[in-house]
């Protein structure tokens, strides 16, 4: 052996099993960053190709200055920082546990003359040695995943993704992946390296598996039994490890809650309404559409559903016996009204059941500046109606605001009684999946050029919506997987670091059930502290991101407690904590007492 550094590959082989989680953490970090930046790069190339077809003399600066380019780079940058923090916490926790298990090894190295600086260098180079395996695997997974996502977007989604490259190699993605791998490991190894350097030569003789301060008092068991109290004590005794474990669990919750906001953002950016139509036929003031056309089109090939709306504009009205500006009245048939409930567009307290049929109840659009409230009375012409419900926003304006205009939504029969009009101003058609161009042309011919025919199939965003949702849920799944693996591995390594203590406890009479309870108490102490910190910070960040991404652009949107998302991630953390207890407790039960005492 020429140098003490020759021990690094030997140590990697000996501790291959213990290093498995650290390698996975590095692989996931490199994979995520490579995939994120590669997809951003593919998006830029797609935007460049699209703009080149429209404009000549386009340069890269124009792409960078575009809204899409800035959004992609900003999103990738934010994800880079979040993944870096998550990777540092998880890898640092894993290396700390690894160092704790090899206290005797570092003590022996000090005994034969290795200096503190050499110990620090050894731990850092040992960590970098993992990058030789983890970084190429992470890069490969990131590139292959990028190819797969591009193929899905191009062939299954299509639409505006028809120009996205299929087998592109992103230099930016590869460099970013390499940087995240090396930087994360170097930052994560800093604290454990210093910890290993503080090991004294005396530790080689004592074989103490933990670097802890002296115990000044016994374990208090006022609230718990002795085995549970010992488990809690183990979790709280090493402050740095507690902070790392808590931070690691908390960051997983924070990342999950932060990414969950993107689902809401996509829902507002590309809302998927149940009554979205493929074709519209608009009548003219002088020539509205009669019921006969709806009946004819409803029986044609390729037509799934036909529904229409009647409208009356600038109708004189009074609100609570006070004159208001002229209002608009729009009729919804049964399907349209059902969609309001299905799409959750009504404010709390609304009773849409009163609106169906010929009734004296109506719905109204609403925003924060609207004077309307449920139960208000309105006089429309000579007829009195009551507001039975309010929409959360105005669907007839792109920004969701009413712009000071009162718009009432009625059933078809109520509309006819209030206005005396029976013909439609707008007919909407939903096509079946097997509808052909021939079917669309046949529908167009039925209008006889008397009405305005619009084919709006190209404006359908369902494919793009599903692509974005798929990507977001994919990242959430990866975050959840990393959370579970990290919890299971961290608890297992923490137990391994205290294997001599557990052996001594078994030697003095502690049974397997008590050992399991002690490990469970330690695991749930980490989980509880991580959940508390993660929920507090995560909900605050979730709210801040919500207002930044959504409320600032959609003023009618209001943040609410993401109870469902919170329950999902907490359930996974709880399940991971339970799973983390099983393997190490079983391993200790199957080991002989003498074996645990002599364990290095």
């Amino acid at each position: 052996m020429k140098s003490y550094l020759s021990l690094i590959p030997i140590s990697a082989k000996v501790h291959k099993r213990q290093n498995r989680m650290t390698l996975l953490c590095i692989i996931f970090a490199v994979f995520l960053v490579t995939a994120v930046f590669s997809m951003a790069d593919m998006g830029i190339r797609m935007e460049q190709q699209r703009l080149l077809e429209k404009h000549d003399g386009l340069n890269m600066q124009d792409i960078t200055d575009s809204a899409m380019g800035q959004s992609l780079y900003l999103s990738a940058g934010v994800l880079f920082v979040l993944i870096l923090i998550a990777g540092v916490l998880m890898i640092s926790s894993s290396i700390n546990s690894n160092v704790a298990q090899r206290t005797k090894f570092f003590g022996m190295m000090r005994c034969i003359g290795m200096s503190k600086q050499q110990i620090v260098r050894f731990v850092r180079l040992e960590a970098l040695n993992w990058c030789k395996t983890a970084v190429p695997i992470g890069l490969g997974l990131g590139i292959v995943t990028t190819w797969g996502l591009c193929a899905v977007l191009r062939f299954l989604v299509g639409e505006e993704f028809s120009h996205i490259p299929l087998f592109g190699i992103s230099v930016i993605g590869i460099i970013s992946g390499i940087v995240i791998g090396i930087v994360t490991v170097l930052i994560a190894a800093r604290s454990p390296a210093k910890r290993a350097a503080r090991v004294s030569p005396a530790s080689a003789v004592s074989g103490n598996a933990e670097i802890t301060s002296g115990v000044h008092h016994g374990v208090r068991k006022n609230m718990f039994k002795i085995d549970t109290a010992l488990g809690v004590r183990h979790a709280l005794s090493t402050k740095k490890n507690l902070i790392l474990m808590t931070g690691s669990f908390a960051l997983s919750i924070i990342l999950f809650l932060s990414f969950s906001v993107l689902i809401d953002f996509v829902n507002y950016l590309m809302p998927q309404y149940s009554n979205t139509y493929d074709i519209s036929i608009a009548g003219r003031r002088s020539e509205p559409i009669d019921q006969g056309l709806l009946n004819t089109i409803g029986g044609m090939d390729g037509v799934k559903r036909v529904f229409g709306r009647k409208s009356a504009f600038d109708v004189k009205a009074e609100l609570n016996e006070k004159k208001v500006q002229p209002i608009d009245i729009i009729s919804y048939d049964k399907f349209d009204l059902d969609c309001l409930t299905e799409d959750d567009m009504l404010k709390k307290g609304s009773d849409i059941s009163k609106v169906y049929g010929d009734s004296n109840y109506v719905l109204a659009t609403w925003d924060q500046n609207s004077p309307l409230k449920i139960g208000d009375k309105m006089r429309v012409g000579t007829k009195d109606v009551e507001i039975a419900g309010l929409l959360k926003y105005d669907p007839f304006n792109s920004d969701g605001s009413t712009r000071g205009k009162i718009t009432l939504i009625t059933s078809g029969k109520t509309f006819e009684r209030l206005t005396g009009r029976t013909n439609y101003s707008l007919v909407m058609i939903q096509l079946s999946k097997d509808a052909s161009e021939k079917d669309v042309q046949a529908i167009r011919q039925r209008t006889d050029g008397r009405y305005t025919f619009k084919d709006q199939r190209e404006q359908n965003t369902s494919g793009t919506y599903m692509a974005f949702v798929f990507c977001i849920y994919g990242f959430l799944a990866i975050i959840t997987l990393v959370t579970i693996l990290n919890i299971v591995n961290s608890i297992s390594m923490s137990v391994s670091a205290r294997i001599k203590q557990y052996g001594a406890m078994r030697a003095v009479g502690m049974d397997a059930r008590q050992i399991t309870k002690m490990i469970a108490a330690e695991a749930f102490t980490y989980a509880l502290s991580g959940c508390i910190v993660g929920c507090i910070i995560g909900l605050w960040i979730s709210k801040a991101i919500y207002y930044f991404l959504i409320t600032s652009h959609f003023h009618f949107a209001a943040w609410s407690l993401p109870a469902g998302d919170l329950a999902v991630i907490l359930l996974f953390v709880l399940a991971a904590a339970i799973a983390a207890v099983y393997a190490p407790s079983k391993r200790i039960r199957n080991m002989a007492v003498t074996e645990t005492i002599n364990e290095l």
Side-chain angles (χ1 to χ4, degrees):
M1 186 172 65
K2 297 181 180 180
S3 167
Y4 69 95
L5 297 178
S6 301
L7 288 171
I8 291 176
I10 299 174
S11 176
K13 290 181 180 179
V14 172
H15 299 95
K16 185 177 181 179
R17 182 176 178 275
Q18 292 91 329
N19 297 337
R20 198 172 296 162
M21 182 58 196
T22 308
L23 287 170
L24 282 175
C25 290
I26 301 172
I27 289 172
F28 275 124
V30 175
F31 156 67
L32 284 173
V33 169
T34 302
V36 167
F37 275 86
S38 295
M39 286 303 297
D41 192 18
M42 296 304 111
I44 293 296
R45 296 183 192 180
M46 177 189 69
E47 182 72 358
Q48 183 180 23
Q49 181 64 32
R50 186 183 67 83
L51 293 177
L52 280 172
E53 292 182 357
K54 294 184 177 181
H55 310 285
D56 294 327
L58 192 71
N59 55 42
M60 195 60 195
Q61 185 64 37
D62 296 325
I63 304 293
T64 306
D65 292 339
S66 68
M68 182 178 181
Q70 293 176 355
S71 299
L72 288 172
Y73 281 128
L74 178 62
S75 301
V78 172
L79 291 175
F80 181 92
V81 174
L82 289 175
I83 295 168
L84 175 64
I85 297 172
V88 167
L89 284 173
M90 289 187 291
I91 296 171
S92 183
S93 175
S94 183
I95 298 176
N96 258 319
S97 298
N98 191 296
V99 169
Q101 293 180 68
R102 296 187 294 159
T103 300
K104 181 177 286 190
F105 169 78
F106 291 115
M108 291 176 62
M109 292 297 100
R110 293 294 310 280
C111 285
I112 61 176
M114 187 180 286
S115 66
K116 291 185 177 181
Q117 290 75 16
Q118 288 176 318
I119 292 287
V120 170
R121 188 183 180 194
F122 181 91
V123 174
R124 288 178 176 173
L125 290 177
E126 188 178 43
L128 284 175
N129 185 61
W130 298 327
C131 293
K132 293 193 303 182
T133 303
V135 170
I137 294 175
L139 291 176
L141 287 174
I143 292 171
V144 172
T145 301
T146 301
W147 290 348
L149 289 174
C150 288
V152 170
L153 292 175
R154 183 164 180 173
F155 295 114
L156 297 184
V157 177
E159 301 174 4
E160 65 267 35
F161 295 103
S162 57
H163 295 298
I164 195 166
L166 282 182
F167 298 103
I169 299 294
S170 171
V171 177
I172 295 175
I174 293 174
I175 293 175
S176 300
I178 295 173
V179 169
I180 195 75
I182 296 175
V183 172
T184 301
V185 167
L186 288 176
I187 296 175
R190 184 178 179 182
S191 176
K194 291 181 179 179
R195 181 180 182 181
R198 290 198 299 268
V199 177
S200 65
S203 297
V205 179
S206 65
N208 185 18
E210 290 187 279
I211 307 167
T212 58
S213 58
V215 178
H216 301 290
H217 54 77
V219 176
R220 297 177 182 177
K221 56 185 185 68
N222 297 334
M223 296 178 59
F224 308 106
K225 292 183 178 180
I226 186 63
D227 44 18
T228 305
L230 278 171
V232 175
R233 175 63 179 273
H234 283 168
L236 301 178
S237 60
T238 309
K239 301 300 181 185
K240 184 171 290 185
N241 189 57
L242 176 64
I243 292 172
L244 285 171
M245 294 282 284
T246 300
S248 181
F249 295 176
L251 190 64
S252 299
I253 297 173
I254 292 168
L255 285 171
F256 191 92
L257 293 176
S258 299
F259 269 91
S260 298
V261 177
L262 297 179
I263 298 292
D264 293 328
F265 179 60
V266 174
N267 285 332
Y268 280 103
L269 198 63
M270 293 177 285
Q272 303 300 300
Y273 297 122
S274 303
N275 58 356
T276 299
Y277 48 90
D278 301 302
I279 295 173
S280 67
I281 301 174
R284 300 183 176 90
R285 286 183 178 270
S286 59
E287 192 170 7
I289 305 170
D290 59 33
Q291 180 67 44
L293 181 61
L294 275 74
N295 296 334
T296 300
I297 294 176
M300 296 179 66
D301 293 336
V303 175
K304 177 183 178 181
R305 183 179 290 109
V306 179
F307 54 102
R309 293 175 185 171
K310 307 162 189 175
S311 57
F313 302 108
D314 297 328
V315 178
K316 293 182 179 180
E318 295 180 3
L319 174 63
N320 295 327
E321 300 182 351
K322 294 182 180 178
K323 288 186 177 181
V324 293
Q325 294 293 327
I327 66 171
D328 294 341
I329 308 176
I330 297 176
S331 77
Y332 273 31
D333 64 12
K334 184 180 183 301
F335 171 72
D336 249 350
L337 291 174
D338 290 341
C339 290
L340 293 177
T341 303
E342 186 175 344
D343 296 333
D344 192 27
M345 294 182 64
L346 297 173
K347 288 178 63 65
K348 186 177 180 180
S350 301
D351 187 359
I352 194 173
S353 63
K354 297 178 178 179
V355 180
Y356 290 89
D358 187 0
S359 70
N360 293 321
Y361 293 94
V362 298
L363 301 174
T365 58
W366 181 88
D367 64 14
Q368 294 178 343
N369 299 318
S370 175
L372 301 176
K373 60 182 182 294
I374 297 174
D376 279 347
K377 310 287 186 181
M378 291 198 70
R379 176 173 285 270
V380 180
T382 60
K383 310 289 193 310
D384 292 326
V385 294
E386 180 180 330
I387 297 177
L390 296 171
L391 274 65
K392 293 179 179 178
Y393 55 93
D394 191 334
F396 308 112
N397 290 320
S398 58
D399 59 359
S401 66
T402 62
R403 301 177 185 176
K405 187 80 171 182
I406 295 177
T407 302
L408 300 183
I409 296 175
T410 73
S411 67
K413 292 183 178 179
T414 303
F415 180 90
E416 293 174 7
R417 182 169 54 83
L418 293 178
T419 64
R421 303 179 186 180
T422 58
N423 290 331
Y424 292 89
S425 57
L426 180 67
V427 172
M428 294 154 286
I429 304 168
Q430 290 182 342
L431 299 174
S432 58
K433 292 182 179 180
D434 58 351
S436 64
E437 289 298 325
K438 183 178 179 181
D439 296 330
V440 174
Q441 290 302 318
I443 297 172
R444 182 191 293 270
Q445 292 174 5
R446 286 293 180 181
T447 64
D448 297 327
R450 297 159 56 192
Y451 311 116
T452 303
F453 180 94
K454 287 186 178 180
D455 186 348
Q456 300 185 206
R457 286 175 294 173
E458 292 185 357
Q459 299 179 21
N460 191 316
T461 60
S462 59
T464 307
Y465 172 84
M466 291 303 298
F468 277 106
V469 169
F470 172 78
C471 291
I472 295 170
Y473 276 118
F475 280 116
L476 289 176
I478 292 172
I479 291 170
T480 304
L481 177 62
V482 172
T483 299
I484 294 174
L485 290 175
N486 181 50
I487 292 174
V488 172
N489 181 75
S490 298
I491 299 301
S492 178
M493 296 189 74
S494 178
V495 171
S496 297
R498 293 187 174 91
I499 197 73
K500 289 174 66 67
Q501 293 184 22
Y502 292 120
M505 291 175 186
R506 289 188 65 193
V508 296
M510 182 173 281
D511 59 27
R513 183 181 60 83
Q514 290 175 309
I515 290 287
T516 302
K517 287 181 64 177
M518 186 164 53
I519 297 173
E522 181 180 356
F524 281 95
T525 300
Y526 292 137
L528 180 61
S529 60
C531 288
I532 293 173
V533 175
C535 289
I536 293 173
I537 300 177
L539 290 175
W540 180 80
I541 293 179
S542 172
K543 187 175 182 179
I545 294 176
Y546 190 97
Y547 278 101
F548 175 74
L549 285 180
I550 300 175
T551 307
S552 59
H553 301 287
F554 306 93
H555 302 292
F556 57 88
W559 181 85
S560 60
L561 183 70
D565 297 330
L566 199 58
V568 168
I569 187 61
L570 292 181
L571 184 64
F572 274 106
V573 170
L574 177 63
I578 294 173
V581 174
Y582 175 76
S585 62
K586 181 180 179 181
R587 179 156 51 94
I588 292 176
R589 288 197 304 269
N590 293 336
M591 292 176 69
V593 175
T594 54
E595 188 180 357
T596 57
I597 293 176
N598 294 324
E599 182 75 25
L600 293 180

